[in-house]
Amino acid sequence: MIGIICAMDVELEKILTMMENEQGDIISGIVFHKGTIGGKEAVCAVCGVGKVFAAMCTQTMILKYSPDCIINVGVAGALDKHLQITDIVVADDLVQHDMDVTALGVPRGMILGTDYIAFPTEKSVSDRLFNSVDALNKDRAQKGEKTLGIFRGRIASGDQFIATKEQKEDITDAFGAAACEMEGASIAQVCYVNHIPYAVMRAISDTADESSEVDFPEFSKAAADCTAEVIRHFFTG
Ligand code: ADE
């Protein structure tokens, strides 16, 4: 069984339309949708925004459904200047940019108790996501539609919506991340502790600067729908 976690309804909406034999369960206020996508077993949930909700949802999903792997899907702000809105980023690893015990001599971002700053994703799942974007792009090209840019790299998560040049530069300089969001690295940490393979795929909704206030509400749905199309190929490819 594959677990899918999104932070917001708009990120799961289109994926849920692909689910068959859906059964819902509410645990700690989170709705878990169990069913099949392309004939394969899946469980999907909207966790809510931020690392705490994401961690709660991930731990609950693991204990209740025992997924073989968990994929975090949704939108992100671009940190890398080459990224454009609706481009796809598949994470190689994830950091928590707001974890800071530097006052005690610990490197910035270090998650005490794990010895990790960056949690690496499961390569085979990330490769499959990457190949699914390729397959989607072939379909889109055949239909004369615009293809999606595809990047692999680091994603930075934190309990902040990044919307200034200063915040963006700080995260880029400290961690060299390509994109930022608010859940992925906490899902990674919970999966790591539980020995569950995980991957994170995000589509760019904004450029994590002063334009994000306008761009995020405007482009989130279009970006989220791109990730849903990748997920369709992931399950059917
Ligand atoms: N998710 C999408 N855009 C974001 C941003 N600019 N900051 C944090 N999370 C995001």
Side-chain angles (χ1 to χ4, degrees):
M1 174 180 299
I2 294 169
I4 295 179
I5 297 178
C6 299
M8 302 181 297
D9 288 328
V10 71
E11 295 169 317
L12 189 61
E13 221 165 59
K14 193 166 177 181
I15 295 172
L16 268 189
T17 66
M18 303 168 194
M19 183 172 259
E20 293 176 319
N21 314 308
E22 192 262 347
Q23 279 186 315
D25 245 333
I26 302 178
I27 308 168
S28 306
I30 300 170
V31 184
F32 291 88
H33 307 267
K34 185 170 171 287
T36 55
I37 301 176
K40 296 179 183 124
E41 283 205 313
V43 57
C44 304
V46 173
C47 64
V49 173
K51 293 187 293 148
V52 174
F53 274 143
M56 272 178 66
C57 179
T58 309
Q59 187 66 56
T60 306
M61 184 180 274
I62 291 168
L63 292 177
K64 171 88 182 170
Y65 298 97
S66 305
D68 300 303
C69 80
I70 290 181
I71 307 174
N72 173 222
V73 180
V75 300
L79 298 176
D80 187 300
K81 63 178 183 309
H82 299 103
L83 283 168
Q84 295 177 2
I85 286 168
T86 74
D87 281 352
I88 304 283
V89 181
V90 176
D92 283 327
D93 61 16
L94 296 106
V95 298
Q96 294 177 31
H97 65 75
D98 55 354
M99 176 56 84
D100 187 348
V101 193
T102 52
L104 300 180
V106 176
R108 186 168 166 196
M110 173 70 80
I111 308 295
L112 294 174
T114 70
D115 273 354
Y116 270 110
I117 294 176
F119 289 95
T121 56
E122 183 72 19
K123 189 175 176 309
S124 60
V125 183
S126 299
D127 285 350
R128 226 177 108 192
L129 285 167
F130 194 91
N131 293 338
S132 302
V133 182
D134 242 11
L136 171 62
N137 273 341
K138 286 199 178 100
D139 277 5
R140 288 173 81 111
Q142 243 172 17
K143 290 188 206 151
E145 293 172 6
K146 184 181 165 290
T147 57
L148 304 173
I150 163 91
F151 289 71
R152 292 267 304 239
R154 176 165 293 171
I155 291 182
S157 312
D159 288 322
Q160 294 166 359
F161 185 80
I162 305 305
T164 68
K165 192 167 163 283
E166 288 73 28
Q167 285 174 296
K168 183 172 173 167
E169 272 173 14
D170 174 54
I171 298 170
T172 312
D173 292 350
F175 299 105
C180 61
E181 37 83 314
M182 302 176 69
E183 298 81 23
S186 82
I187 293 170
Q189 182 178 344
V190 174
C191 287
Y192 166 78
V193 167
N194 286 278
H195 308 289
I196 303 292
Y198 59 89
V200 178
M201 174 182 62
R202 298 276 182 155
I204 298 302
S205 56
D206 58 272
T207 45
D209 56 20
E210 286 70 8
S211 61
S212 292
E213 191 187 336
V214 171
D215 287 351
F216 175 79
E218 180 156 356
F219 297 117
S220 283
K221 168 99 181 102
D225 285 354
C226 291
T227 61
E229 286 305 324
V230 178
I231 290 296
R232 185 196 301 283
H233 278 82
F234 184 90
F235 275 88
T236 56

